[in-house]
Amino acid sequence: MFYLCTPIFIPNLLNNENKFILAIESSCDDTSAAVLQNKKVLSNIVATQKIHEEYGGVVPELASRAHQQNIVPVVHQALLKANIDKKQLSAIAFTRGPGLMGSLLVGTSFAKSLSLGLGIPLIEVNHMQAHILAHFIEDDSQKTPEFPFLGMTISGGHTQIVLVKNYFDMEILGESLDDAVGEAFDKSAKILGLPYPGGPLIDKNARLGNPKAYAFTKPRVDGLNFSFSGLKTAILYFIQRETKKNPDFITENLNDICASIQHTIIEILMNKLKQAVKQTGVKRIAIGGGVSANSGIREALNNAETRYGWQTYIPKFEYCTDNAAMIGIVGYFKYLNNTFTEQSITAKARYIIGSNK
Ligand code: KG4
Ligand code: ZN
């Protein structure tokens, strides 16, 4: 048996020069690369894989193949747009997990090879931590929360409320016991015959509908955990019942149905946040993940500032859905913290925030 030598490059942290981090994200169905100059984003290229639309959801095997095709041109574009030469890079940050194993392997292998080829450090990043720390990207149009704050990550794969004590110390207070909130949006949309991903389409139609037109029973879940699978079933039975009476029920009432679904989901999220504030006494709330792009949750959080005296933080649209800039900001903080990764690192499909598990 022979072992490949796996160097770990320790940079010179004493100088105050600019740090240029190349970040790579490939956890699900978006291939993304970004270049950061310290906390500022110079480029953030995202190639969204359209292939999944016709299947009504992400097909893991197709996702990893598409990442293979996209990764080189996406990284090339990111460097070009940032006007940065590979030789100027200080480190490579990449998503280690959580996510789809085949997808993660593409980004992980690419980042490892590039770091080895360029002789610069490698930094592994937890995707969920990145959704939260996206708030620390320096950008005139977004504000940054002070520690401690409550982070609510709402995406297609996760729904969590996290107590964020500092950049690296995060504690999960509650999470979904079944479907993620993004899945609740996407599966409801599928029931209504809308294409994947349905979340943005529910949002679009909801703007024109009456949120109180139909009532759906909200799940009862202890503590700060969530459950969304019952809601999906309730919506399915409701639609089956109504279309039996009127085959055109969906088309005639699409906006009201979407508005009512969205209203129910937002109430579930807001109720848990109120409970989390009560439990922790922390009134700073920052959201992250694809569902933070939803206009209803953004409005509810904005209103909560005056209604409950909370300080709320909503990321810029481009930092809500999966993107490499958020991986880059974690990479930057880890660089300053001297936290680097060895070449023997492997991707992790399940990767709990705030731990190495
Ligand atoms: O964070 P993300 O890009 O990928 C994951 O890590 O899962 O989140 C994708 C999810 C999808 O379920 C998508 O439908 C949902 O975010 N989403 C939305 C909106 N935009 C994206 N859901 C509701 N309203 C939106 N405007
Ligand atoms: Zn995500």
Side-chain angles (χ1 to χ4, degrees):
M1 174 116 41
F2 95 104
Y3 293 93
L4 197 68
C5 174
T6 61
I8 175 160
F9 302 99
I10 304 292
N12 175 12
L13 292 169
L14 295 177
N15 63 48
N16 290 324
E17 282 169 21
N18 281 322
K19 309 292 173 234
F20 293 103
I21 310 283
L22 170 69
I24 291 161
E25 153 64 31
S26 73
S27 65
C28 190
D29 60 341
D30 293 304
T31 318
S32 180
V35 178
L36 270 74
Q37 177 179 7
N38 306 326
K39 289 194 269 179
K40 278 209 169 99
V41 177
L42 299 182
S43 64
N44 184 29
I45 308 292
V46 183
T48 302
Q49 304 174 1
K50 296 277 174 220
I51 180 105
H52 308 288
E53 274 172 24
E54 58 191 280
Y55 298 92
V58 178
V59 183
E61 180 66 27
L62 296 180
S64 43
R65 287 186 210 185
H67 283 306
Q68 288 269 25
Q69 286 171 340
N70 294 344
I71 190 112
V72 171
V74 164
V75 168
H76 182 68
Q77 275 297 316
L79 289 166
L80 217 60
K81 184 155 183 232
N83 202 15
I84 290 291
D85 188 87
K86 288 193 290 291
K87 293 193 189 81
Q88 290 173 270
L89 294 174
S90 316
I92 317 262
F94 70 98
T95 305
R96 184 185 180 197
L100 301 171
M101 187 44 104
S103 293
L104 290 167
L105 281 174
V106 178
T108 304
S109 309
F110 185 89
K112 283 166 73 165
S113 317
L114 196 56
S115 128
L116 201 57
L118 294 174
I120 55 173
L122 184 65
I123 302 170
E124 59 96 15
V125 173
N126 181 306
H127 179 92
M128 300 313 294
Q129 183 181 11
H131 270 305
I132 291 177
L133 296 187
H135 289 275
F136 293 86
I137 290 172
E138 214 170 279
D139 193 306
D140 290 344
S141 59
Q142 65 174 27
K143 43 184 190 149
T144 298
E146 269 175 37
F147 298 115
F149 64 90
L150 291 171
M152 184 167 74
T153 50
I154 40 179
S155 72
H158 293 85
T159 311
Q160 292 179 333
I161 296 182
V162 182
L163 179 61
V164 185
K165 298 169 201 169
N166 63 46
Y167 297 126
F168 307 113
D169 191 359
M170 302 187 183
E171 184 192 338
I172 299 174
L173 303 180
E175 61 190 328
S176 180
L177 304 174
D178 42 54
D179 289 352
V181 60
E183 276 180 285
F185 271 106
D186 296 339
K187 288 178 178 173
S188 305
K190 201 171 178 180
I191 295 169
L192 300 177
L194 300 172
Y196 178 86
L201 296 170
I202 295 217
D203 189 3
K204 193 170 158 222
N205 292 308
R207 285 173 218 209
L208 305 168
N210 171 10
K212 303 239 166 100
Y214 309 104
F216 301 106
T217 317
K218 289 196 251 338
R220 282 178 194 212
V221 188
D222 285 344
L224 296 176
N225 288 331
F226 299 87
S227 166
F228 288 102
S229 66
L231 178 66
K232 170 195 67 194
T233 315
I235 293 167
L236 176 68
Y237 288 163
F238 166 76
I239 294 294
Q240 283 175 343
R241 220 171 33 240
E242 293 300 324
T243 44
K244 224 179 228 174
K245 289 187 254 168
N246 170 14
D248 296 328
F249 176 74
I250 296 178
T251 38
E252 285 173 9
N253 301 286
L254 188 62
N255 294 340
D256 284 350
I257 303 169
C258 288
S260 303
I261 293 172
Q262 182 163 306
H263 177 72
T264 310
I265 294 176
I266 288 164
E267 275 206 337
I268 296 171
L269 296 175
M270 291 303 289
N271 285 343
K272 288 291 174 179
L273 275 180
K274 277 188 243 169
Q275 209 175 318
V277 169
K278 204 168 159 197
Q279 192 174 308
T280 58
V282 176
K283 288 186 172 186
R284 282 181 290 273
I285 319 282
I287 57 167
V291 180
S292 355
N294 182 270
S295 61
I297 189 75
R298 294 170 93 92
E299 195 188 329
L301 281 172
N302 278 330
N303 292 342
E305 294 222 334
T306 39
R307 213 157 162 193
Y308 311 122
W310 297 356
Q311 287 159 272
T312 61
Y313 302 84
I314 303 168
K316 234 176 132 175
F317 273 110
E318 65 211 75
Y319 306 140
C320 286
T321 44
D322 288 349
N323 68 89
M326 67 181 195
I327 306 300
I329 191 75
V330 184
Y332 175 68
F333 291 133
K334 284 195 161 184
Y335 189 103
L336 297 185
N337 200 43
N338 213 352
T339 307
F340 300 103
T341 307
E342 293 197 36
Q343 276 284 331
S344 55
I345 192 95
T346 53
K348 271 168 86 71
R350 243 181 83 77
Y351 189 0
I352 299 167
I353 200 169
S355 84
N356 200 26
K357 280 188 259 163

